[in-house]
Amino acid sequence: MKVLARSGILTLGAMAIPLGLSPAWAQEQNRAADIAAPEGQLEDIVVTATKRQENVQRIPIAVSAFGAEALQRAGVQDTRQLMAIAPSLNLSSTTSDARGVVIRIRGLGSEALNPGLESSVGTVIDGVYRARSNLSLEAVPGIERIELLRGPQGTLFGKNTTSGVVNVITKSPSFTAGGEATVSFGNFDSLQLLGGITGPLVADKLAARIDAVYTRRDGILKDFSTGQRFRDKNRITGRAQFLWTPDSDLTARLIIDGSYHNQTGPDTYVPATYGASRAILTALGANTALGLQDRLVTLTTSRDPREKNGQYGVSLELNWTRDWGKLTSITAYRRWNNYQEREVDYTELDIVNNIPAHQRFRNFSQELRVDGSAGKLDWLVGAFYTHENVYVSEGYKFGADAERYIDALLSGGSLTARPISVATGLPVGQSLPDGAGLNQADFYQKANSLSFFTHNSYRLASRLTLTAGLRWTTERKALSSTLADGFNPGCDALVGRGVSSGSPFNLVCLLGFDPRYEGNYQAKKKESEFSGVASLMFELNDNINSYISYSRGYKGGGFVLDVFGYSLVPGVKQPSGEDLKFDPEFADNFEFGLKTQLFDRKLRANLAVFYTKLTDYQLTYNTGAAIFTRNVPEVTSKGFELETEFRPTNELRGTFGVTYANTRYGKIPAISGLPATLVTGARLYNAPLWTINGTIGW
């Protein structure tokens, strides 16, 4: 039994289940990732980053690979925790752990506030592409290996990988019976149970594997008046696999997985400061003495913030080996649902509340590829198709205290002045009654994407290899949006009186609360683009390799699936589905790499120097009153990464990594629709200049 301590959590890991199961199973499962080396040396690491099994030191890609043993030593039990050992990787959440998840590599990534925005960092689990970060960052039981590919991966892993790929490989069923279990516990009464079992169903023909993980934790935030806790965890994930090997040339792997989350929250908290409105909120009876640092929260009595999240999927991978090469087919279907009810004004007052939000993703994908070798040439050709349906229902309404709060705000803190009623001519309390706003805001998006790709390596000389890849992608997206059930007497009265701007119009007829936006809006997009890679790798000797490469990535455009994306100019322009469009994003990456194994393979040190330029970077931002996605003309990331692994003795081993990534905006046009706070040369948010990490174990 191993005992690992990490971040306040104690882990009892890799306990053999006493059912007469053989420990040989664990060794067999690790062979795909690590090739045994003489005692005291570092093992060779084999990855599938190029869709073939290759030594990580002999491919012209900046890639980090973490096998099951390394992940266990570091206490990594889901993809979210990977940033603890991968210095180029940064993960963060906005509204919740299930929605608003952002993955960044080298400081580059896409904010996930807009569900119509696809991730810049692609996530692939057992060969199946996950269309959004939300659908991928969860506890994945039975992980065998995680590969982190840095820089655009526009050839083999699809169009939406302008920053990189997180490639997760789980343990396949084994014909040798075995099992494992891990128990982790920590503060806030956190508990995680993770286990797996595998074995044959039909000798040498059919094997199965079942993995599951259960996680619970008390909420880390507490309501100051009731003591109720929020942001807890209550999650379960399961995965069943079947491996069929009718003969030595054909294998079939069927995977069925599902997960369910039910937790309070998601983002209920009290800001550390309320700014100018603090005195007004206090005068109206709200407690504003709390701060985020206290982990105390407050919420409207009638609200019960809660989040439910569920997903399931099924995939079938077929591999057929012939004399001329290997044919691989991966067919997958996935469905993801999220339900959220949130506290959005962060006070006991009922100022603004949200329509219970619902997001749903359905995705079908089919990949076919053929690869083989012919003399000095290793070749691969393939095709990929995906069909996606996205449904989003989300919006906001004024609460019962909205009118008196806005009155006090407009009158400089007076609790007796009634500027809204004066402007609208309606009795006090009837301009913004409880529930005023657009009570139906539905968005439906359909997307079809088809691509053809090829990736080839040719040995020009005994130690010089040329690699070239190309991908052509065509995509169609169609949007249908319905805004209905508008109810805002104050806004109607102001419009009827000819008021169209200024105070109090800008707050009463706030975007998203204005009945004039009612209607059904549609729009379409079509794109066809190329992406690819070219590199040269030179082997100085058996232990030192260098490469230089250029890669181009492409990420499709789309729509802002949010009511705040619309634009209305009275008498000039009506809302339109065209308002919601944003353009595709492109990445050009230049890189030099050096991969070494030194001191009789007791030290592995890999260096990558990179320069990445993003054109039409897709920026999503929240103004406090609206969510937008706009294209920024240019973003650059330049720097270096150094990753080392050392084993000076057979018992002592460790790692050290450092990343320097200077990630900044290029020139921002004076008139661009971008936020005024965005300035030329500014560093991107959540893009650290330096990242350093390391591990040591004995």
Side-chain angles (χ1 to χ4, degrees):
M1 181 176 71
K2 298 180 180 179
V3 179
L4 307 175
R6 61 179 176 88
S7 303
I9 295 178
L10 188 66
T11 301
L12 308 179
M15 297 186 295
I17 299 176
L19 299 176
L21 306 182
S22 170
W25 167 82
Q27 298 171 2
E28 178 180 324
Q29 292 300 305
N30 285 328
R31 285 175 189 153
D34 304 318
I35 296 178
E39 186 174 353
Q41 293 185 348
L42 294 170
E43 303 87 353
D44 285 337
I45 300 175
V46 174
V47 297
T48 55
T50 59
K51 303 292 186 178
R52 305 179 180 94
Q53 289 194 358
E54 293 185 284
N55 189 323
V56 70
Q57 296 298 106
R58 298 184 178 278
I59 57 175
I61 301 174
V63 55
S64 304
F66 309 96
E69 185 178 352
L71 295 171
Q72 180 193 344
R73 286 199 305 265
V76 175
Q77 296 171 354
D78 62 49
T79 49
R80 188 183 301 274
Q81 298 167 336
L82 188 62
M83 62 184 294
I85 56 176
S88 296
L89 183 68
N90 180 275
L91 295 92
S92 61
S93 301
T94 51
T95 58
S96 76
D97 288 343
R99 285 175 51 183
V101 176
V102 185
I103 310 177
R104 298 177 179 86
I105 294 179
R106 295 173 173 173
L108 299 174
S110 302
E111 293 289 344
L113 295 170
N114 169 24
L117 181 66
E118 297 170 76
S119 307
S120 295
V121 178
T123 304
V124 178
I125 300 180
D126 289 327
V128 178
Y129 173 69
R130 302 288 181 96
R132 304 292 190 280
S133 302
N134 308 344
L135 283 64
S136 58
L137 290 185
E138 61 175 6
V140 180
I143 293 177
E144 176 184 292
R145 184 173 74 259
I146 298 179
E147 301 169 0
L148 178 64
L149 287 67
R150 304 186 291 275
Q153 306 295 324
T155 304
L156 293 174
F157 286 93
K159 61 185 180 62
N160 293 318
T161 55
T162 50
S163 299
V165 169
V166 178
N167 188 28
V168 181
I169 300 94
T170 66
K171 297 173 182 176
S172 182
S174 173
F175 288 99
T176 302
E180 61 185 5
T182 301
V183 180
S184 304
F185 55 92
N187 57 353
F188 294 99
D189 288 334
S190 65
L191 172 68
Q192 185 176 79
L193 306 175
L194 187 150
I197 188 169
T198 187
L201 298 180
V202 178
D204 300 325
K205 296 296 182 183
L206 181 64
R209 180 180 177 92
I210 297 176
D211 292 280
V213 57
Y214 168 74
T215 305
R216 72 159 309 279
R217 187 201 65 196
D218 290 342
I220 59 174
L221 305 177
K222 183 172 68 173
D223 186 278
F224 77 97
S225 58
T226 66
Q228 182 180 359
R229 288 196 170 272
F230 296 92
R231 296 298 294 268
D232 63 348
K233 290 183 179 180
N234 187 18
R235 308 174 180 178
I236 187 168
T237 302
R239 170 181 294 256
Q241 301 186 56
F242 301 92
L243 178 65
W244 182 50
T245 57
D247 55 51
S248 60
D249 296 331
L250 178 64
T251 63
R253 185 183 182 190
L254 176 68
I255 303 176
I256 304 170
D257 71 274
S259 65
Y260 179 70
H261 302 176
N262 184 1
Q263 52 205 53
T264 55
D267 62 346
T268 301
Y269 69 93
V270 175
T273 174
Y274 287 94
S277 64
R278 186 182 192 114
I280 295 173
L281 289 168
T282 301
L284 292 174
N287 189 331
T288 61
L290 304 173
L292 178 61
Q293 66 276 13
D294 303 317
R295 288 188 176 175
L296 294 175
V297 302
T298 182
L299 67 156
T300 307
T301 306
S302 59
R303 304 289 169 243
D304 182 24
R306 180 163 295 277
E307 179 174 41
K308 298 180 181 180
N309 185 74
Q311 69 169 306
Y312 64 85
V314 58
S315 66
L316 176 64
E317 178 178 347
L318 300 174
N319 287 283
W320 187 38
T321 304
R322 309 304 297 164
D323 294 338
W324 44 263
K326 184 176 74 171
L327 170 67
T328 299
S329 168
I330 301 177
T331 308
Y333 173 80
R334 300 205 61 81
R335 178 164 177 158
W336 182 88
N337 286 277
N338 179 272
Y339 173 88
Q340 244 186 46
E341 187 163 358
R342 300 163 50 199
E343 173 72 66
V344 293
D345 56 34
Y346 310 125
T347 77
E348 305 101 299
L349 301 182
D350 188 11
I351 301 172
V352 177
N353 57 81
N354 79 308
I355 301 170
H358 183 201
Q359 291 186 12
R360 181 181 68 229
F361 292 86
R362 295 177 180 175
N363 184 275
F364 169 81
S365 63
Q366 174 64 59
E367 181 174 1
L368 285 172
R369 62 177 187 267
V370 182
D371 67 89
S373 298
K376 297 181 179 181
L377 175 68
D378 291 336
W379 56 271
L380 182 150
V381 294
F384 179 78
Y385 169 77
T386 180
H387 173 77
E388 179 183 84
N389 283 321
V390 180
Y391 167 70
V392 176
S393 176
E394 188 167 21
Y396 301 91
K397 301 181 291 185
F398 285 118
D401 298 319
E403 185 170 332
R404 69 190 188 108
Y405 170 74
I406 296 176
D407 273 338
L409 198 65
L410 294 174
S411 60
S414 171
L415 302 185
T416 58
R418 297 291 183 260
I420 293 179
S421 293
V422 171
T424 63
L426 298 175
V428 174
Q430 294 187 19
S431 294
L432 294 178
D434 189 12
L438 286 170
N439 292 306
Q440 181 184 353
D442 296 333
F443 297 83
Y444 298 87
Q445 177 181 282
K446 291 185 178 181
N448 289 282
S449 179
L450 176 65
S451 59
F452 299 94
F453 57 91
T454 181
H455 188 87
N456 310 283
S457 296
Y458 185 79
R459 189 168 289 274
L460 299 172
S462 60
R463 293 188 178 275
L464 183 65
T465 302
L466 170 67
T467 299
L470 187 66
R471 188 182 192 104
W472 177 78
T473 303
T474 182
E475 181 174 87
R476 296 174 182 265
K477 288 183 178 177
L479 171 75
S480 177
S481 171
T482 299
L483 307 180
D485 198 16
F487 170 60
N488 189 332
C491 185
D492 291 339
L494 290 173
V495 173
R497 289 186 164 199
V499 180
S500 60
S501 63
S503 177
F505 178 87
N506 292 342
L507 290 177
V508 174
C509 293
L510 190 66
L511 178 64
F513 297 81
D514 190 338
R516 291 178 298 170
Y517 282 80
E518 286 187 312
N520 181 268
Y521 308 101
Q522 298 182 355
K524 293 183 178 180
K525 282 183 65 66
K526 181 182 178 181
E527 299 169 357
S528 296
E529 300 291 347
F530 284 96
S531 55
V533 64
S535 66
L536 275 174
M537 187 163 197
F538 178 65
E539 303 174 20
L540 281 73
N541 55 49
D542 292 341
N543 293 308
I544 301 178
N545 299 321
S546 64
Y547 69 89
I548 186 170
S549 70
Y550 164 77
S551 56
R552 180 171 176 82
Y554 152 69
K555 183 156 79 82
F559 300 96
V560 179
L561 304 186
D562 192 283
V563 63
F564 296 116
Y566 286 105
S567 173
L568 169 66
V569 182
V572 178
K573 178 188 177 302
Q574 289 298 308
S576 166
E578 300 294 316
D579 298 340
L580 306 182
K581 285 185 176 180
F582 56 88
D583 293 330
E585 173 183 296
F586 300 92
D588 293 283
N589 180 68
F590 301 88
E591 187 164 310
F592 167 78
L594 189 65
K595 299 187 175 187
T596 68
Q597 297 186 116
L598 306 172
F599 305 113
D600 194 26
R601 292 182 51 172
K602 294 181 180 295
L603 172 66
R604 179 181 295 125
N606 294 341
L607 172 71
V609 181
F610 59 88
Y611 173 83
T612 305
K613 177 181 177 180
L614 295 186
T615 306
D616 288 330
Y617 173 70
Q618 296 167 351
L619 174 70
T620 295
Y621 57 95
N622 189 348
T623 66
I627 295 174
F628 297 100
T629 297
R630 298 283 189 267
N631 292 94
V632 176
E634 180 182 312
V635 168
T636 60
S637 178
K638 54 187 177 181
F640 69 88
E641 301 158 330
L642 175 65
E643 288 187 307
T644 68
E645 184 177 4
F646 52 87
R647 190 176 185 178
T649 70
N650 191 42
E651 297 80 11
L652 182 66
R653 63 191 304 163
T655 64
F656 173 78
V658 57
T659 295
Y660 171 81
N662 192 352
T663 309
R664 298 183 180 273
Y665 294 106
K667 187 175 182 180
I668 306 298
I671 302 176
S672 60
L674 295 169
T677 55
L678 193 64
V679 296
T680 299
R683 288 236 315 271
L684 269 66
Y685 175 72
N686 255 342
L689 194 63
W690 289 94
T691 305
I692 300 173
N693 63 16
T695 66
I696 192 165
W698 179 79

